[in-house]
Amino acid sequence: MGNYTFAQGLTASAFSILIVFGILILLSFIVSLLKYVGKEEAPVKQKKQSPKSPEPVVESVTVQDSQLIAAIVACCIVSDSKN
């Protein structure tokens, strides 16, 4: 290897950085073009018209659900009373 001056090293570093950023900009441009490749036109689907007044969904609460709700509420009350 030869004897390199500080200016020569700085020039080589700057040139290398320019090459890296140039390649990054080129890759960014290529990636931005990928959104146009392979894009198929999807057929437009017509949505079914929903009824103007939908029926409300009513779920029944079972005994097990009531016990679970009571247990959760009890845990919340106990944790609040400890603070």
Side-chain angles (χ1 to χ4, degrees), residues 14-78:
F15 188 67
S16 299
I17 290 171
L18 287 175
I19 289 173
V20 168
F21 278 106
I23 291 172
L24 287 174
I25 290 170
L26 179 66
L27 285 173
S28 173
F29 179 70
I30 291 171
V31 168
S32 69
L33 291 178
L34 287 177
K35 64 182 171 183
Y36 300 113
V37 176
K39 188 174 186 181
E40 297 179 7
E41 292 292 326
V44 178
K45 296 181 181 179
Q46 294 181 356
K47 294 183 180 179
K48 295 180 182 179
Q49 292 181 349
S50 61
K52 292 183 180 177
S53 59
E55 295 292 323
V57 177
V58 178
E59 295 182 15
S60 62
V61 177
T62 63
V63 173
Q64 289 179 341
D65 291 339
S66 297
Q67 290 174 349
L68 179 63
I69 293 170
I72 292 172
V73 170
C75 288
C76 290
I77 290 172
V78 169

